[in-house]
């Protein structure tokens, strides 16, 4: 099948229901909880989408109020001895948004621009993700304001251990379970778990304390398939949803923003299914090759150099792993967005697709591998242009899903094969995609609103049966 390269309206109507795009920030709840009305604020934007969906399905006022603010916002400052003997003070956050459905769950990011409102927003997204996928977890998120690329391995370890110590009283294996996110990885989780375990009082339950984080190395209880899980989940959702949107995965063209954990796994798994990666952009630059970029060779290049820049010069003369054309040409940001593709997958940071970028995009579908990659203005333009958006709470829920499998395996003192992990992940991602499609048909809304509706239906039921104390 031909994969046309110009954006065309897809079979399903985009963004017809909901007042999100036409009348933003109108919910009285926003005023009731006293949120500052800064339209660029990510938290305000995230709550607004959630409340719009809540209003459409008549979520009771008291539940909307509860969900409009996190339960707990923890902010800590802690000193760390640097390699040169000096001390630096770091700022860390853990936001616990909701635990009505189970323990708080969500990653910890290390990034120089981490701040409270972003972490709050990401924590809310976690609640929506776990509700949409029906995992027995709530939502949380954490972060440390630091640049992990500028820290030595020893400094990274000490930052992690001090951060864990600073929030250890507020987390726990059945209470709040962190995981990797932007700038953190399995090694960071190992230091975190080791520190938490060392600080727990009961010697008898000390190994069980390692359940306090997921995304651990396999040697200490991590799950097979966890590292690739978010990328695998993106692909599972695409395979399920693209045919309905008139796109066949085998032979389609895609581009990626970000070639870290999520981006590189998504790219490599899609390439194995016959899709062609034609452009990639990250913090170091952008590259393009309409004949297809070798996803494995690019992953090796990024691991070695820290980014995609330079791949145009260093790429092998002939394709290796994927049988695709080799090499690539360095391009500008604008050229990257204008590269014609079937699917563009943002898999880096939040709020990258603003109005300008959205007007450049030449894709039929944007699949959000990253959390909240587009601004409301970007979202609106994509919708107006008939470009489908597969929202993050669906597309990138694979990570937390396999985190749940890790937690279950740890609780049961067992380990699953990678095949079992992949099979169960696929089952959960497909079910979440079906829930989203069902809500979309029923409420005649865009896919983002539909995913929130499907999540909120679950949360509302949980509150109805649990009631609100006292
Ligand atoms: N950081 C990932 C996310 O944003 C994974 C969270 C987890 O595994 O708890 O979904």
């Amino acid at each position: 099948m031909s994969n046309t390269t110009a954006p065309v309206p897809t079979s399903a109507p985009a963004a017809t229901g909901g007042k999100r795009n036409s009348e933003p920030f109108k919910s009285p709840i926003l005023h009731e909880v006293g949120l500052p009305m800064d339209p660029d604020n990510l938290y305000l934007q995230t709550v607004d989408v959630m409340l719009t969906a809540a209003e459409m399905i008549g979520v009771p006022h008291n539940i909307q109020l509860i969900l409009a603010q996190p339960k707990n916002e923890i902010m800590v400052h802690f000193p760390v001895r640097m390699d040169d003997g000096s001390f630096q003070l770091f700022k860390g956050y853990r936001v616990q948004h909701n635990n009505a459905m189970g323990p708080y769950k969500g990653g910890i990011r290390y990034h120089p621009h981490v701040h409270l409102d972003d972490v709050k927003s990401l924590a809310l997204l976690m609640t929506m993700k776990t509700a949409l996928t029906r995992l027995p977890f709530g939502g949380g998120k954490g972060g440390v304001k630091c640049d992990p690329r500028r820290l030595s391995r020893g400094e990274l370890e000490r930052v992690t251990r001090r951060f864990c110590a600073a929030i250890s009283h507020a987390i726990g294996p059945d209470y709040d379970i962190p995981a990797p996110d932007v700038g953190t990885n399995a090694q960071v989780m190992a230091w975190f778990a080791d520190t938490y375990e060392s600080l727990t009082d009961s010697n008898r339950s000390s190994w069980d304390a390692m359940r306090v984080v997921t995304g651990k190395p396999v040697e200490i209880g991590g799950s097979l398939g966890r590292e690739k899980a978010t990328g695998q989940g993106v692909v599972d959702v695409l395979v399920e949803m693209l045919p309905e949107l008139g796109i066949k995965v085998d032979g389609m063209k895609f581009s990626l923003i970000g070639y870290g954990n999520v981006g590189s796994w998504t790219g490599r798994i899609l390439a194995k299914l016959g899709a062609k990666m034609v452009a990639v952009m990250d913090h170091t630059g952008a590259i393009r090759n309409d004949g297809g970029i070798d996803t494995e060779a690019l992953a090796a290049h990024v691991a070695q150099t820290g980014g995609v820049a330079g791949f145009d010069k260093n790429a092998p003369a002939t394709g290796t792993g994927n049988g695709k054309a080799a090499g690539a040409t360095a391009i500008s940001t604008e050229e990257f967005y204008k590269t014609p593709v079937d699917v563009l997958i943002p898999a880096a940071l939040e709020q990258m697709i603003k109005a300008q970028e959205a007007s450049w995009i030449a894709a039929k579908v944007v699949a959000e591998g990253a959390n909240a990659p587009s601004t409301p203005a970007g979202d609106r333009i994509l919708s107006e242009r008939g470009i489908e958006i597969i929202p993050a709470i669906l597309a990138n829920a694979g990570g937390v899903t396999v985190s749940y499998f890790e937690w279950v395996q740890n609780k049961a003192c067992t380990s699953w094969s990678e095949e079992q992990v992949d099979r169960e992940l696929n089952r959960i991602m497909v079910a979440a995609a079906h829930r989203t499609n069902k809500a979309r048909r029923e409420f005649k809304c865009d896919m983002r609103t539909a995913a929130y509706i499907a999540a909120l239906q679950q949360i509302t039921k949980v509150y109805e049966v649990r009631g609100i104390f006292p």
Side-chain angles (χ1 to χ4, degrees):
M1 129 158 207
S2 95
N3 290 289
T4 29
T5 47
V8 294
T10 47
S11 52
T16 51
K19 56 182 180 177
R20 175 160 56 87
N21 291 328
S22 50
E23 291 181 68
F25 314 130
K26 283 286 183 289
S27 167
I29 304 272
L30 295 173
H31 301 277
E32 217 171 318
V33 296
L35 288 177
M37 288 292 134
D38 169 7
D40 292 330
N41 181 286
L42 185 60
Y43 188 66
L44 180 68
Q45 294 169 9
T46 314
V47 181
D48 188 54
V49 178
M50 190 262 297
L51 291 177
T52 302
E55 207 46 54
M56 283 175 73
I57 57 166
V59 174
H61 172 261
N62 58 357
I63 300 175
Q64 291 196 37
L65 257 187
I66 292 170
L67 295 175
Q69 285 283 29
K71 267 191 149 175
N72 304 309
E73 298 170 25
I74 300 154
M75 203 188 298
V76 293
H77 295 97
F78 53 92
V80 174
R81 188 194 299 274
M82 308 307 281
D83 288 348
D84 65 4
S86 69
F87 280 90
Q88 204 173 308
L89 195 67
F90 288 85
K91 187 192 273 288
Y93 306 92
R94 185 71 187 168
V95 171
Q96 297 167 331
H97 177 259
N98 190 274
N99 64 348
M101 297 171 298
Y104 300 108
K105 187 81 192 82
I108 289 177
R109 76 170 42 179
Y110 288 179
H111 194 274
H113 299 140
V114 165
H115 64 91
L116 183 61
D117 280 333
D118 293 350
V119 182
K120 281 173 66 175
S121 174
L122 294 163
L124 193 162
L125 287 174
M126 288 308 302
T127 302
M128 295 297 131
K129 255 185 246 187
T130 53
L132 175 61
T133 46
R134 306 296 194 256
L135 300 178
F137 284 140
K141 198 75 163 202
V144 175
K145 198 171 167 60
C146 68
D147 188 348
R149 291 195 189 97
R150 289 169 171 269
L151 297 175
S152 70
R153 186 180 162 88
E155 288 168 343
L156 195 63
E157 177 174 351
R158 293 194 292 280
V159 165
T160 301
R161 289 187 184 278
R162 279 302 302 245
F163 177 54
C164 175
I167 62 165
S168 61
H169 63 285
I171 57 174
D174 291 300
Y175 182 68
D176 182 359
I177 306 139
D181 196 79
V182 174
T184 55
N185 56 22
Q187 177 59 71
V188 171
M189 293 305 112
W191 291 324
F192 197 102
D194 180 74
T195 308
Y196 184 83
E197 190 255 7
S198 308
L199 293 174
T200 42
D201 339 311
S202 166
N203 289 332
R204 277 177 301 163
S205 67
S206 63
W207 183 260
D208 196 43
M210 301 292 273
R211 273 195 301 116
V212 73
V213 285
T214 56
K216 298 181 290 289
V218 174
E219 295 75 14
I220 57 163
S223 179
L224 293 172
R226 174 63 185 86
E227 206 208 306
K228 67 166 186 182
T230 310
Q232 182 68 58
V234 172
V235 177
D236 286 354
V237 168
L238 287 176
V239 169
E240 188 58 29
M241 295 194 119
L242 287 183
E244 267 189 53
L245 303 174
I247 300 169
K248 213 168 116 194
V249 173
D250 187 3
M252 76 168 188
K253 288 184 174 179
F254 68 97
S255 58
L256 272 163
I257 306 177
Y259 213 70
N261 175 289
V262 182
S264 69
W265 278 108
T266 303
R268 283 179 282 172
I269 299 169
L270 279 177
K272 285 205 176 82
L273 298 179
K276 200 179 273 189
M277 183 168 82
V278 295
V280 184
M281 180 175 77
D282 71 4
H283 62 286
T284 64
I287 54 171
R288 172 173 172 175
N289 181 345
D290 290 347
I293 296 167
D294 187 321
T295 55
E296 298 290 346
L298 183 62
H301 173 82
V302 172
Q304 216 174 37
T305 66
V308 303
F311 188 69
D312 51 317
K313 298 182 188 74
N314 299 335
T318 55
T320 53
N322 318 124
K324 299 286 176 350
T329 312
I331 53 170
S332 68
T333 301
E334 183 174 343
E335 284 167 321
F336 169 81
Y337 283 107
K338 288 183 170 171
T339 302
V341 287
D342 294 289
V343 183
L344 182 145
I345 305 159
L349 287 174
E350 294 80 39
Q351 300 196 292
M352 295 192 66
I353 303 175
K354 303 185 177 70
Q356 177 72 90
E357 289 77 9
S359 70
W360 286 335
I361 287 176
K364 294 184 216 165
V365 174
V366 170
E368 297 184 340
N371 289 305
S374 39
T375 64
D379 223 23
R380 188 166 50 243
I381 290 172
L382 292 177
S383 292
E384 282 165 7
R385 296 184 58 219
I387 298 170
E388 286 284 354
I389 303 167
I390 303 182
I393 64 165
L394 171 62
N396 85 4
V400 69
T401 300
V402 178
S403 273
Y404 167 61
F405 300 159
E406 175 175 335
W407 187 74
V408 166
Q409 290 169 69
N410 291 170
K411 251 183 186 292
C413 300
T414 188
S415 57
W416 299 0
S417 66
E418 194 164 338
E419 290 71 34
Q420 185 176 356
V421 170
D422 286 351
R423 195 170 56 242
E424 287 299 303
L425 172 62
N426 185 263
R427 188 176 62 77
I428 287 183
M429 298 307 291
V430 167
H434 287 177
R435 269 176 218 121
T436 305
N437 278 338
K438 184 166 174 281
R440 182 176 198 187
R441 281 193 298 274
E442 203 175 325
F443 294 92
K444 301 199 178 355
C445 56
D446 61 278
M447 228 188 279
R448 190 186 308 286
T449 310
Y452 276 75
I453 286 175
L456 286 163
Q457 286 170 330
Q458 175 73 356
I459 300 173
T460 307
K461 267 187 237 149
V462 168
Y463 271 107
E464 272 165 13
V465 290
R466 283 190 67 152
I468 294 169
F469 175 82

